[in-house]
Amino acid sequence: MDDEKEPLPTRREVLALAVAGSAGLLVAACTPAPKPVPSLKPTEPTEEGEKMAAGKVLAGAHQVVPLPFDPKKLTGLSEKLLVSHHENNYAGAVKNLNKVEADLAGITKDTPPYLVSGLKERELTFTNSKILHELYFGNLGGDGKAAGDIKKLLEQEYGSFDRWETEFRVVGQGLGGGSGWVILAYNFQTGLVQSYWSGGHTQNVAFGQPLLVMDILDYGAAAGKYIDAFFQNINWAEVDRRLGRAQKAAALLRG
Amino acid sequence: MDDEKEPLPTRREVLALAVAGSAGLLVAACTPAPKPVPSLKPTEPTEEGEKMAAGKVLAGAHQVVPLPFDPKKLTGLSEKLLVSHHENNYAGAVKNLNKVEADLAGITKDTPPYLVSGLKERELTFTNSKILHELYFGNLGGDGKAAGDIKKLLEQEYGSFDRWETEFRVVGQGLGGGSGWVILAYNFQTGLVQSYWSGGHTQNVAFGQPLLVMDILDYGAAAGKYIDAFFQNINWAEVDRRLGRAQKAAALLRG
Amino acid sequence: MDDEKEPLPTRREVLALAVAGSAGLLVAACTPAPKPVPSLKPTEPTEEGEKMAAGKVLAGAHQVVPLPFDPKKLTGLSEKLLVSHHENNYAGAVKNLNKVEADLAGITKDTPPYLVSGLKERELTFTNSKILHELYFGNLGGDGKAAGDIKKLLEQEYGSFDRWETEFRVVGQGLGGGSGWVILAYNFQTGLVQSYWSGGHTQNVAFGQPLLVMDILDYGAAAGKYIDAFFQNINWAEVDRRLGRAQKAAALLRG
Amino acid sequence: MDDEKEPLPTRREVLALAVAGSAGLLVAACTPAPKPVPSLKPTEPTEEGEKMAAGKVLAGAHQVVPLPFDPKKLTGLSEKLLVSHHENNYAGAVKNLNKVEADLAGITKDTPPYLVSGLKERELTFTNSKILHELYFGNLGGDGKAAGDIKKLLEQEYGSFDRWETEFRVVGQGLGGGSGWVILAYNFQTGLVQSYWSGGHTQNVAFGQPLLVMDILDYGAAAGKYIDAFFQNINWAEVDRRLGRAQKAAALLRG
């Protein structure tokens, strides 16, 4: 999102589009909506005002990343499931993230706090859905054989690889009644690699890097079978690369 | 947790203490508890078994960090409030984190998943309570005057510093009916600095570094007054240092 | 939204009220807001218009109920705490509920679902905050001495009154790290009286009647002292009356 | 659960079985577990002690209710989906509820509060999953044609039936990115019939009766298609019967 050179009119158009296209509630408030709602700004777009509503953070230009593997070739996870998961759950969240950011561009100090809360909760949900789904798809497509530094580290941290895998799987089964994530993450505060439970997109360790991400949909008691298939397709080389980056960054981050 | 040299017996004792001291339910399950429960391992403590139950991750040796400022000297935040917040909310969470980790050391593949879920949810809650409270206290004790790279960056990202401050404050007010956090974080996926809403300890951006952390307790409609006081005591120099570390780490992390 | 026949003026006034009163975001979308908005329903309106945009559900006319006891006279709970709790936490929620309902009156099938979700989540939060706070204040102001049918029933259901009290208190202490509720409720599905944990306003048994409600604010490790005071002030006669009503209704409800 | 005549030994055996069968963590805490753990009580089973651990509330004897319709005969909802939903999501929750209740029978005042919190959160989740799933299956199997008092009331409350349906559907779509429930409920505090958003099993109006329940699994952007099918199979006669019961009970409940 390195877009310093992007001409302002384009951004304004983007925002106008987002607003007109998504924020039905806002449009509904204006009896005769004369033309595409120009923006959420109440006043004339001075140069400063323009910048205010159009900071980078508020851009709403997130892109859908394609599946990084051929969905026909995974073991025990059907093409239909993977493609639907990517299109409906992931891509839907990216589109919603863009819309929510456009809405948030319009808040002022007079916007009722509960409305901001509602939008910010949705923003966090969609932001994390984007992050976690991309990492989830990114750590699939492998042969499921753990190797490299990540394997050694898990043995060291958890006593044995099996010990780690047991906990990771059981946490996943415990989520099966609803949905959520199991996330092996590098905790930048402790320097430890650890599996975290997440009952929803918004729940994550506050200062960490996800290394291995398992999405749990609403499988109920059938979660075990899905978890078996997930483990057969883990791309451990990718997980190992993520660990390498985390370790390099860790010293810097802990200051 | 740089404890490679720590002798195993000590660790075993620590675990035993944690178990005996806290896990009443576990103790209760043993009809005559003959002596301090040796460990949660089901079998004889071989050297390998010892490691299994006592990996670094499961150590439960987190320490309470003292307040990094003199609580008598803050503006508009009473010593009583600060000390109680540190002792009851923060230190309580650290103690609980140690106990939960000791409990989790005992899970096996036969532990009911709902029980693991319950413990892991608590583990995430206490882990984040520790991380966020330490960062919260760490960014208090200043004079509230924003400066440095962080100020410039917020102006750039949000269009103006006031625009950022407005959103950050309104999000805090929206949380006032319950409790939660407002967190300005470096999002390592997008490279942007952004304010996130968190309705509870477990809700955080999935891959980011908190730069400025504001705890919101149950102030209800009185939240605004607390937020005013918070802003007067922000230690922006510390926030700026965190940003510097985040920026250095970011290139490494995005690979 | 099959409401083509609704006279626009009425709806416009109604919406304008909602917008002017609460939703700054919405105001921003409307170029000239004609004049101070009359009301979400308080005024004239045609018979048809009355029904339509301002159905009972959307009325936004919830009232704050005063404290049902003299806050100076409770044991161990200060007047300051009680009055602030009533004004800031409870009355703030009632006001927000009215505003959210007014906003929800404006949604159409084109309103982005994430925005509706955000508002509906807030609606549930404020609705329950209203219900639970009123029941909470309503079961304070007594002498803390359990008696009547409720006492007998708890002895029967839990084996002993102490057994019930122990669990109720421990659940409260477990919530101390954040905030929430402990709710003794009549479960209309099972016909049992049971204590429920609630981590926030939105968490409740799906088909039940709260009999005894304990609010837990952010007391951290100090929760125990508050719980002691709460128990000294329980108005068991009121709890017993609620039980009587629940029992009469139960047969009807289970059909 | 009208089980006054149930002989105590049987109950004790049931509890022992539940504990031995499920609570691996507890068993693991006892080095040599000599035989099926008799109960969670630390002391000799006096008659009083027996009662304590075995109150009705703690019984753990919930039963799975079969599907009330032929899953082959619904329109647009496949037999496979319905049977899997019933077996995995619903029946799994009932079994877990029984196990959690058995675990909770063992708590004492020394059980760590965070462990009780974790179990009580699971108890609420499974309790509501049972209630809501039974009501959900119970309001399917019809022809989708709204009629009776419920139709009239929705027209009255929402201005038009379409207005209500629009909101109900949009709330469902907003949940599609994760999972949850949309619940039309009779609010016993206000006397109004209203649609509530629920992001998970635990989120419900604090004092109400569900009339129409729609489960939303992890459909993502495909939620709309499922909602269409759901509406075609609503058993409005059952919804109307529930309303009748609610209305009769309401006067009693509001005292």
Side-chain angles (χ1 to χ4, degrees):
Chain A
M1 306 257 295
D2 189 26
D3 52 2
E4 273 127 58
K5 291 167 197 163
E6 192 188 348
L8 277 173
T10 302
R11 179 176 296 285
R12 184 169 42 195
E13 284 160 26
V14 165
L15 277 169
L17 195 66
V19 167
S22 77
L25 177 53
L26 308 180
V27 172
C30 302
T31 337
K35 40 189 166 179
V37 178
S39 97
L40 292 165
K41 298 186 304 299
T43 50
E44 284 301 292
T46 62
E47 198 174 314
E48 180 57 23
E50 190 68 23
K51 258 199 280 170
M52 273 190 51
K56 275 189 195 173
V57 166
L58 313 165
H62 300 284
Q63 303 289 323
V64 172
V65 176
L67 279 176
F69 50 77
D70 181 346
K72 292 188 182 116
K73 299 201 171 159
L74 267 59
T75 309
L77 296 170
S78 74
E79 182 187 6
K80 192 182 160 192
L81 176 77
L82 290 162
V83 169
S84 161
H85 191 170
H86 184 271
E87 280 184 15
N88 292 315
N89 300 73
Y90 162 63
V94 176
K95 284 171 202 162
N96 278 330
L97 177 56
N98 287 333
K99 290 177 188 173
V100 168
E101 288 188 351
D103 286 348
L104 282 166
I107 68 169
T108 71
K109 66 180 170 25
D110 299 319
T111 311
Y114 66 80
L115 189 55
V116 179
S117 273
L119 289 170
K120 293 295 284 185
E121 191 277 337
R122 294 287 86 192
E123 178 194 41
L124 182 62
T125 295
F126 299 134
T127 296
N128 282 347
S129 181
K130 180 175 186 294
I131 292 174
L132 293 174
H133 275 113
E134 290 176 12
L135 291 168
Y136 167 72
F137 293 125
N139 58 220
L140 283 177
D143 65 3
K145 296 195 168 57
D149 289 344
I150 183 66
K151 191 182 177 204
K152 280 179 216 149
L153 191 59
L154 288 175
E155 287 166 357
Q156 195 182 323
E157 300 277 3
Y158 278 82
S160 76
F161 188 84
D162 279 355
R163 179 72 179 73
W164 165 77
E165 186 176 328
T166 294
E167 186 187 285
F168 196 89
R169 282 170 174 267
V170 176
V171 175
Q173 284 172 322
L175 286 165
S179 61
W181 302 86
V182 192
I183 300 168
L184 177 70
Y186 195 102
N187 177 328
F188 286 122
Q189 196 197 50
T190 63
L192 297 173
V193 166
Q194 194 160 353
S195 300
Y196 291 99
W197 166 97
S198 169
H201 301 320
T202 55
Q203 299 184 303
N204 291 277
V205 67
F207 185 16
Q209 175 180 3
L211 303 177
L212 173 66
V213 171
M214 178 167 70
D215 195 1
I216 300 284
L217 302 185
D218 246 328
Y219 301 109
K225 207 175 155 189
Y226 162 76
I227 295 171
D228 285 345
F230 173 81
F231 264 84
Q232 287 177 51
N233 293 284
I234 293 176
N235 181 344
W236 282 102
E238 171 62 14
V239 179
D240 204 41
R241 276 191 293 274
R242 293 175 187 170
L243 173 65
R245 292 197 292 267
Q247 288 174 322
K248 279 186 211 149
L252 291 172
L253 281 168
R254 281 192 284 164
Chain B
M1 302 266 295
D2 188 24
D3 53 3
E4 273 126 58
K5 290 167 195 165
E6 192 189 351
L8 276 172
T10 303
R11 178 175 296 285
R12 183 168 46 195
E13 286 160 25
V14 166
L15 276 169
L17 194 66
V19 168
S22 77
L25 178 51
L26 307 180
V27 171
C30 300
T31 336
K35 41 187 166 179
V37 180
S39 99
L40 292 166
K41 296 184 309 298
T43 52
E44 285 302 292
T46 62
E47 197 175 316
E48 179 60 21
E50 191 69 22
K51 257 198 282 170
M52 271 190 52
K56 275 185 193 174
V57 166
L58 314 164
H62 300 283
Q63 303 290 322
V64 172
V65 176
L67 278 177
F69 50 78
D70 182 345
K72 291 186 184 113
K73 300 200 171 159
L74 267 57
T75 310
L77 296 170
S78 74
E79 182 186 8
K80 193 182 161 192
L81 175 78
L82 290 162
V83 169
S84 161
H85 191 169
H86 184 270
E87 280 183 15
N88 292 316
N89 300 74
Y90 162 63
V94 176
K95 285 171 201 161
N96 277 331
L97 177 57
N98 287 333
K99 290 176 187 172
V100 168
E101 287 187 352
D103 286 348
L104 281 167
I107 67 168
T108 71
K109 66 179 169 29
D110 299 320
T111 311
Y114 65 80
L115 190 54
V116 179
S117 273
L119 289 169
K120 293 295 286 186
E121 190 278 338
R122 295 286 88 192
E123 179 193 40
L124 182 63
T125 295
F126 299 135
T127 297
N128 282 348
S129 180
K130 180 175 185 294
I131 292 174
L132 293 174
H133 275 112
E134 290 176 13
L135 292 168
Y136 167 73
F137 293 125
N139 57 222
L140 284 177
D143 65 2
K145 296 197 168 55
D149 289 343
I150 183 66
K151 192 182 176 205
K152 281 178 218 149
L153 192 58
L154 288 175
E155 288 166 356
Q156 194 182 323
E157 301 275 4
Y158 279 81
S160 76
F161 188 83
D162 279 355
R163 179 71 180 74
W164 165 78
E165 186 175 328
T166 295
E167 186 188 283
F168 196 89
R169 283 171 174 264
V170 175
V171 175
Q173 284 171 320
L175 286 164
S179 61
W181 301 87
V182 191
I183 301 167
L184 176 70
Y186 194 103
N187 177 328
F188 286 123
Q189 198 197 49
T190 62
L192 296 173
V193 166
Q194 193 160 353
S195 300
Y196 292 99
W197 167 97
S198 168
H201 300 322
T202 56
Q203 300 185 301
N204 291 278
V205 67
F207 185 16
Q209 175 180 1
L211 302 178
L212 173 67
V213 171
M214 177 167 71
D215 196 0
I216 300 283
L217 301 184
D218 247 326
Y219 301 109
K225 207 175 153 188
Y226 162 76
I227 294 171
D228 285 345
F230 173 81
F231 263 84
Q232 287 177 51
N233 293 283
I234 294 177
N235 182 344
W236 282 102
E238 170 63 13
V239 179
D240 203 41
R241 278 191 292 276
R242 293 175 188 170
L243 173 66
R245 293 198 292 269
Q247 288 174 321
K248 278 186 210 150
L252 290 171
L253 282 169
R254 283 192 283 162
Chain C
M1 296 288 288
D2 192 18
D3 52 3
E4 276 124 56
K5 291 167 199 161
E6 193 193 352
L8 274 173
T10 302
R11 177 177 291 288
R12 182 167 45 197
E13 283 160 25
V14 166
L15 278 169
L17 170 64
V19 166
S22 72
L25 179 52
L26 307 180
V27 169
C30 298
T31 344
K35 45 186 167 180
V37 200
S39 141
L40 213 216
K41 197 24 315 100
T43 44
E44 295 317 287
T46 65
E47 198 174 314
E48 179 60 19
E50 187 73 16
K51 264 197 271 170
M52 287 254 338
K56 278 186 193 172
V57 167
L58 314 165
H62 300 283
Q63 302 290 322
V64 172
V65 176
L67 278 176
F69 50 78
D70 180 346
K72 291 188 183 113
K73 298 200 172 159
L74 268 57
T75 310
L77 295 170
S78 74
E79 182 188 6
K80 191 182 160 192
L81 175 78
L82 290 162
V83 170
S84 161
H85 191 170
H86 184 271
E87 282 184 12
N88 291 314
N89 299 74
Y90 162 63
V94 176
K95 284 171 202 162
N96 278 329
L97 177 56
N98 287 333
K99 290 178 188 171
V100 167
E101 288 187 351
D103 286 348
L104 282 166
I107 66 168
T108 72
K109 66 178 170 25
D110 300 320
T111 311
Y114 65 80
L115 190 55
V116 179
S117 273
L119 289 169
K120 293 295 285 186
E121 191 277 337
R122 293 288 86 192
E123 179 194 41
L124 182 63
T125 295
F126 299 134
T127 296
N128 283 346
S129 181
K130 180 175 185 297
I131 292 174
L132 294 173
H133 275 112
E134 290 176 13
L135 292 167
Y136 167 73
F137 292 125
N139 58 219
L140 284 176
D143 65 3
K145 295 196 168 58
D149 290 343
I150 182 67
K151 192 182 176 203
K152 282 179 216 147
L153 191 59
L154 288 174
E155 288 166 357
Q156 194 182 325
E157 301 276 4
Y158 279 83
S160 75
F161 189 83
D162 280 355
R163 178 71 179 73
W164 165 77
E165 185 175 327
T166 295
E167 186 188 282
F168 195 88
R169 282 171 175 266
V170 176
V171 175
Q173 284 172 320
L175 285 165
S179 61
W181 302 86
V182 192
I183 300 167
L184 177 69
Y186 194 103
N187 177 329
F188 287 121
Q189 197 197 49
T190 63
L192 297 172
V193 165
Q194 193 161 352
S195 301
Y196 292 99
W197 166 97
S198 168
H201 301 320
T202 56
Q203 300 185 303
N204 292 277
V205 66
F207 186 16
Q209 175 180 2
L211 303 177
L212 174 66
V213 171
M214 177 168 69
D215 196 359
I216 300 284
L217 302 184
D218 246 327
Y219 301 109
K225 207 175 155 190
Y226 162 77
I227 294 170
D228 285 346
F230 173 81
F231 264 84
Q232 288 177 51
N233 293 284
I234 293 177
N235 181 345
W236 282 102
E238 169 63 13
V239 179
D240 204 41
R241 277 191 293 275
R242 292 174 187 171
L243 174 65
R245 292 198 293 267
Q247 288 173 323
K248 279 185 210 150
L252 290 172
L253 281 169
R254 281 192 284 163
Chain D
M1 305 262 297
D2 188 25
D3 54 3
E4 272 126 58
K5 292 166 195 165
E6 192 188 351
L8 276 173
T10 304
R11 178 176 297 285
R12 182 169 46 197
E13 285 160 25
V14 166
L15 277 169
L17 195 67
V19 168
S22 77
L25 177 52
L26 309 179
V27 172
C30 303
T31 335
K35 43 188 164 178
V37 179
S39 97
L40 292 167
K41 295 187 307 297
T43 51
E44 283 304 290
T46 63
E47 197 175 315
E48 179 60 21
E50 191 70 24
K51 256 198 282 172
M52 272 189 51
K56 275 188 194 174
V57 167
L58 314 164
H62 300 284
Q63 303 289 323
V64 172
V65 176
L67 278 177
F69 50 77
D70 181 345
K72 289 184 185 118
K73 298 199 173 161
L74 268 57
T75 310
L77 295 170
S78 74
E79 181 187 7
K80 192 181 161 192
L81 176 78
L82 289 162
V83 169
S84 161
H85 192 169
H86 184 271
E87 281 184 14
N88 292 315
N89 299 73
Y90 162 63
V94 176
K95 285 172 200 161
N96 277 331
L97 177 57
N98 287 332
K99 290 178 187 171
V100 168
E101 287 188 352
D103 286 349
L104 282 167
I107 67 168
T108 71
K109 66 179 169 31
D110 300 319
T111 310
Y114 65 81
L115 190 54
V116 179
S117 272
L119 288 169
K120 293 294 284 186
E121 190 278 338
R122 294 287 87 192
E123 179 193 40
L124 182 63
T125 295
F126 299 135
T127 296
N128 282 347
S129 181
K130 179 174 185 298
I131 292 173
L132 294 174
H133 275 113
E134 290 176 13
L135 292 168
Y136 167 72
F137 293 126
N139 58 222
L140 283 177
D143 65 2
K145 296 196 169 55
D149 289 343
I150 182 67
K151 192 182 176 205
K152 281 179 217 147
L153 192 58
L154 289 175
E155 288 166 357
Q156 194 182 323
E157 300 276 3
Y158 279 83
S160 75
F161 188 83
D162 280 354
R163 179 69 182 75
W164 166 78
E165 185 175 328
T166 295
E167 186 187 285
F168 196 88
R169 283 171 174 265
V170 175
V171 175
Q173 284 172 321
L175 287 164
S179 60
W181 302 86
V182 191
I183 300 167
L184 176 70
Y186 194 102
N187 178 328
F188 286 122
Q189 198 197 49
T190 61
L192 297 174
V193 166
Q194 192 161 355
S195 300
Y196 292 100
W197 166 97
S198 168
H201 300 321
T202 56
Q203 300 184 302
N204 291 277
V205 67
F207 186 16
Q209 175 181 2
L211 303 178
L212 173 67
V213 171
M214 178 168 70
D215 195 0
I216 299 284
L217 302 184
D218 246 326
Y219 302 109
K225 208 176 154 189
Y226 162 76
I227 295 170
D228 286 344
F230 173 82
F231 264 84
Q232 287 177 49
N233 293 283
I234 294 177
N235 182 344
W236 282 102
E238 170 63 13
V239 179
D240 203 42
R241 277 191 292 276
R242 293 175 188 170
L243 173 64
R245 293 197 292 269
Q247 288 173 323
K248 280 185 210 149
L252 292 171
L253 281 168
R254 282 190 284 162

